[in-house]
PDB file of all heavy atoms in Angstrom:
ATOM      1  N   LEU A 115       2.745  26.025  -8.061  1.00  0.00           N
ATOM      2  CA  LEU A 115       1.465  26.128  -8.767  1.00  0.00           C
ATOM      3  C   LEU A 115       0.818  24.768  -8.956  1.00  0.00           C
ATOM      4  O   LEU A 115      -0.388  24.601  -8.759  1.00  0.00           O
ATOM      5  CB  LEU A 115       1.692  26.795 -10.131  1.00  0.00           C
ATOM      6  CG  LEU A 115       0.495  26.796 -11.100  1.00  0.00           C
ATOM      7  CD1 LEU A 115      -0.630  27.658 -10.541  1.00  0.00           C
ATOM      8  CD2 LEU A 115       0.925  27.298 -12.478  1.00  0.00           C
ATOM      9  N   TYR A 116       1.609  23.757  -9.324  1.00  0.00           N
ATOM     10  CA  TYR A 116       1.053  22.464  -9.710  1.00  0.00           C
ATOM     11  C   TYR A 116       0.499  21.679  -8.533  1.00  0.00           C
ATOM     12  O   TYR A 116      -0.462  20.932  -8.683  1.00  0.00           O
ATOM     13  CB  TYR A 116       2.121  21.652 -10.446  1.00  0.00           C
ATOM     14  CG  TYR A 116       2.551  22.316 -11.726  1.00  0.00           C
ATOM     15  CD1 TYR A 116       3.769  22.997 -11.804  1.00  0.00           C
ATOM     16  CD2 TYR A 116       1.724  22.310 -12.846  1.00  0.00           C
ATOM     17  CE1 TYR A 116       4.149  23.633 -12.975  1.00  0.00           C
ATOM     18  CE2 TYR A 116       2.098  22.945 -14.017  1.00  0.00           C
ATOM     19  CZ  TYR A 116       3.317  23.605 -14.079  1.00  0.00           C
ATOM     20  OH  TYR A 116       3.687  24.242 -15.234  1.00  0.00           O
ATOM     21  N   TYR A 117       1.110  21.812  -7.368  1.00  0.00           N
ATOM     22  CA  TYR A 117       0.641  21.047  -6.220  1.00  0.00           C
ATOM     23  C   TYR A 117      -0.205  21.884  -5.265  1.00  0.00           C
ATOM     24  O   TYR A 117      -0.395  21.531  -4.118  1.00  0.00           O
ATOM     25  CB  TYR A 117       1.825  20.427  -5.474  1.00  0.00           C
ATOM     26  CG  TYR A 117       2.323  19.166  -6.135  1.00  0.00           C
ATOM     27  CD1 TYR A 117       3.368  19.202  -7.053  1.00  0.00           C
ATOM     28  CD2 TYR A 117       1.717  17.940  -5.883  1.00  0.00           C
ATOM     29  CE1 TYR A 117       3.810  18.052  -7.678  1.00  0.00           C
ATOM     30  CE2 TYR A 117       2.153  16.785  -6.505  1.00  0.00           C
ATOM     31  CZ  TYR A 117       3.193  16.846  -7.399  1.00  0.00           C
ATOM     32  OH  TYR A 117       3.618  15.694  -8.029  1.00  0.00           O
ATOM     33  N   SER A 118      -0.731  22.984  -5.740  1.00  0.00           N
ATOM     34  CA  SER A 118      -1.627  23.789  -4.904  1.00  0.00           C
ATOM     35  C   SER A 118      -2.778  24.349  -5.739  1.00  0.00           C
ATOM     36  O   SER A 118      -3.884  23.818  -5.735  1.00  0.00           O
ATOM     37  CB  SER A 118      -0.847  24.915  -4.214  1.00  0.00           C
ATOM     38  OG  SER A 118      -0.177  25.718  -5.172  1.00  0.00           O
ATOM     39  N   HIS A 119      -2.494  25.399  -6.498  1.00  0.00           N
ATOM     40  CA  HIS A 119      -3.560  26.089  -7.222  1.00  0.00           C
ATOM     41  C   HIS A 119      -4.055  25.332  -8.448  1.00  0.00           C
ATOM     42  O   HIS A 119      -5.168  25.556  -8.915  1.00  0.00           O
ATOM     43  CB  HIS A 119      -3.071  27.480  -7.647  1.00  0.00           C
ATOM     44  CG  HIS A 119      -2.680  28.351  -6.500  1.00  0.00           C
ATOM     45  ND1 HIS A 119      -1.393  28.416  -6.025  1.00  0.00           N
ATOM     46  CD2 HIS A 119      -3.413  29.147  -5.706  1.00  0.00           C
ATOM     47  CE1 HIS A 119      -1.333  29.237  -5.004  1.00  0.00           C
ATOM     48  NE2 HIS A 119      -2.542  29.698  -4.781  1.00  0.00           N
ATOM     49  N   PHE A 120      -3.225  24.440  -8.983  1.00  0.00           N
ATOM     50  CA  PHE A 120      -3.592  23.741 -10.220  1.00  0.00           C
ATOM     51  C   PHE A 120      -4.897  22.967 -10.058  1.00  0.00           C
ATOM     52  O   PHE A 120      -5.755  22.977 -10.938  1.00  0.00           O
ATOM     53  CB  PHE A 120      -2.453  22.792 -10.616  1.00  0.00           C
ATOM     54  CG  PHE A 120      -2.467  22.417 -12.060  1.00  0.00           C
ATOM     55  CD1 PHE A 120      -2.178  23.354 -13.036  1.00  0.00           C
ATOM     56  CD2 PHE A 120      -2.751  21.121 -12.459  1.00  0.00           C
ATOM     57  CE1 PHE A 120      -2.179  23.009 -14.376  1.00  0.00           C
ATOM     58  CE2 PHE A 120      -2.754  20.767 -13.792  1.00  0.00           C
ATOM     59  CZ  PHE A 120      -2.464  21.716 -14.760  1.00  0.00           C
ATOM     60  N   VAL A 121      -5.036  22.285  -8.923  1.00  0.00           N
ATOM     61  CA  VAL A 121      -6.243  21.492  -8.699  1.00  0.00           C
ATOM     62  C   VAL A 121      -7.466  22.396  -8.520  1.00  0.00           C
ATOM     63  O   VAL A 121      -8.592  22.003  -8.828  1.00  0.00           O
ATOM     64  CB  VAL A 121      -6.065  20.556  -7.478  1.00  0.00           C
ATOM     65  CG1 VAL A 121      -6.052  21.339  -6.170  1.00  0.00           C
ATOM     66  CG2 VAL A 121      -7.158  19.490  -7.450  1.00  0.00           C
ATOM     67  N   LEU A 122      -7.258  23.627  -8.054  1.00  0.00           N
ATOM     68  CA  LEU A 122      -8.377  24.561  -7.901  1.00  0.00           C
ATOM     69  C   LEU A 122      -8.808  25.128  -9.248  1.00  0.00           C
ATOM     70  O   LEU A 122      -9.969  25.479  -9.442  1.00  0.00           O
ATOM     71  CB  LEU A 122      -7.980  25.705  -6.956  1.00  0.00           C
ATOM     72  CG  LEU A 122      -7.643  25.298  -5.520  1.00  0.00           C
ATOM     73  CD1 LEU A 122      -7.209  26.515  -4.714  1.00  0.00           C
ATOM     74  CD2 LEU A 122      -8.829  24.622  -4.852  1.00  0.00           C
ATOM     75  N   TYR A 123      -7.853  25.214 -10.175  1.00  0.00           N
ATOM     76  CA  TYR A 123      -8.182  25.740 -11.495  1.00  0.00           C
ATOM     77  C   TYR A 123      -8.885  24.716 -12.379  1.00  0.00           C
ATOM     78  O   TYR A 123      -9.768  25.056 -13.165  1.00  0.00           O
ATOM     79  CB  TYR A 123      -6.910  26.217 -12.208  1.00  0.00           C
ATOM     80  CG  TYR A 123      -6.241  27.410 -11.580  1.00  0.00           C
ATOM     81  CD1 TYR A 123      -4.872  27.577 -11.663  1.00  0.00           C
ATOM     82  CD2 TYR A 123      -6.970  28.376 -10.891  1.00  0.00           C
ATOM     83  CE1 TYR A 123      -4.235  28.672 -11.083  1.00  0.00           C
ATOM     84  CE2 TYR A 123      -6.357  29.462 -10.304  1.00  0.00           C
ATOM     85  CZ  TYR A 123      -4.986  29.611 -10.400  1.00  0.00           C
ATOM     86  OH  TYR A 123      -4.374  30.690  -9.828  1.00  0.00           O
ATOM     87  N   TYR A 124      -8.469  23.440 -12.255  1.00  0.00           N
ATOM     88  CA  TYR A 124      -8.941  22.439 -13.212  1.00  0.00           C
ATOM     89  C   TYR A 124      -9.730  21.291 -12.588  1.00  0.00           C
ATOM     90  O   TYR A 124     -10.183  20.410 -13.307  1.00  0.00           O
ATOM     91  CB  TYR A 124      -7.744  21.863 -13.978  1.00  0.00           C
ATOM     92  CG  TYR A 124      -7.007  22.893 -14.794  1.00  0.00           C
ATOM     93  CD1 TYR A 124      -5.775  23.398 -14.372  1.00  0.00           C
ATOM     94  CD2 TYR A 124      -7.547  23.384 -15.978  1.00  0.00           C
ATOM     95  CE1 TYR A 124      -5.109  24.352 -15.114  1.00  0.00           C
ATOM     96  CE2 TYR A 124      -6.879  24.329 -16.726  1.00  0.00           C
ATOM     97  CZ  TYR A 124      -5.655  24.817 -16.291  1.00  0.00           C
ATOM     98  OH  TYR A 124      -4.988  25.756 -17.027  1.00  0.00           O
ATOM     99  N   ASN A 125      -9.897  21.252 -11.269  1.00  0.00           N
ATOM    100  CA  ASN A 125     -10.590  20.164 -10.571  1.00  0.00           C
ATOM    101  C   ASN A 125      -9.841  18.843 -10.728  1.00  0.00           C
ATOM    102  O   ASN A 125      -9.279  18.306  -9.796  1.00  0.00           O
ATOM    103  CB  ASN A 125     -12.020  19.978 -11.072  1.00  0.00           C
ATOM    104  CG  ASN A 125     -12.864  21.217 -10.995  1.00  0.00           C
ATOM    105  OD1 ASN A 125     -13.615  21.496 -11.917  1.00  0.00           O
ATOM    106  ND2 ASN A 125     -12.759  21.992  -9.930  1.00  0.00           N
ATOM    107  N   PHE A 126      -9.875  18.330 -11.963  1.00  0.00           N
ATOM    108  CA  PHE A 126      -9.185  17.064 -12.259  1.00  0.00           C
ATOM    109  C   PHE A 126      -8.969  16.951 -13.755  1.00  0.00           C
ATOM    110  O   PHE A 126      -9.853  17.259 -14.548  1.00  0.00           O
ATOM    111  CB  PHE A 126     -10.020  15.868 -11.774  1.00  0.00           C
ATOM    112  CG  PHE A 126      -9.428  14.536 -12.160  1.00  0.00           C
ATOM    113  CD1 PHE A 126      -8.378  13.997 -11.428  1.00  0.00           C
ATOM    114  CD2 PHE A 126      -9.906  13.836 -13.260  1.00  0.00           C
ATOM    115  CE1 PHE A 126      -7.814  12.786 -11.794  1.00  0.00           C
ATOM    116  CE2 PHE A 126      -9.353  12.622 -13.620  1.00  0.00           C
ATOM    117  CZ  PHE A 126      -8.305  12.087 -12.880  1.00  0.00           C
ATOM    118  N   ASN A 127      -7.770  16.502 -14.136  1.00  0.00           N
ATOM    119  CA  ASN A 127      -7.474  16.169 -15.530  1.00  0.00           C
ATOM    120  C   ASN A 127      -6.284  15.217 -15.561  1.00  0.00           C
ATOM    121  O   ASN A 127      -5.786  14.794 -14.515  1.00  0.00           O
ATOM    122  CB  ASN A 127      -7.236  17.422 -16.393  1.00  0.00           C
ATOM    123  CG  ASN A 127      -6.073  18.264 -15.896  1.00  0.00           C
ATOM    124  OD1 ASN A 127      -5.187  17.786 -15.186  1.00  0.00           O
ATOM    125  ND2 ASN A 127      -6.081  19.536 -16.250  1.00  0.00           N
ATOM    126  N   CYS A 128      -5.810  14.879 -16.749  1.00  0.00           N
ATOM    127  CA  CYS A 128      -4.725  13.895 -16.854  1.00  0.00           C
ATOM    128  C   CYS A 128      -3.432  14.400 -16.225  1.00  0.00           C
ATOM    129  O   CYS A 128      -2.626  13.617 -15.716  1.00  0.00           O
ATOM    130  CB  CYS A 128      -4.509  13.514 -18.317  1.00  0.00           C
ATOM    131  SG  CYS A 128      -4.008  14.890 -19.359  1.00  0.00           S
ATOM    132  N   ASN A 129      -3.210  15.716 -16.216  1.00  0.00           N
ATOM    133  CA  ASN A 129      -1.999  16.270 -15.611  1.00  0.00           C
ATOM    134  C   ASN A 129      -2.032  16.150 -14.087  1.00  0.00           C
ATOM    135  O   ASN A 129      -1.004  15.880 -13.454  1.00  0.00           O
ATOM    136  CB  ASN A 129      -1.837  17.734 -16.004  1.00  0.00           C
ATOM    137  CG  ASN A 129      -1.607  17.903 -17.493  1.00  0.00           C
ATOM    138  OD1 ASN A 129      -0.832  17.173 -18.086  1.00  0.00           O
ATOM    139  ND2 ASN A 129      -2.296  18.848 -18.097  1.00  0.00           N
TER     140      ASN A 129
END
Side-chain angles (χ1 to χ4, degrees):
L115 171 66
Y116 297 103
Y117 280 94
S118 56
H119 300 92
F120 201 69
V121 71
L122 297 178
Y123 293 150
Y124 298 105
N125 304 138
F126 175 80
N127 60 22
C128 62
N129 295 316

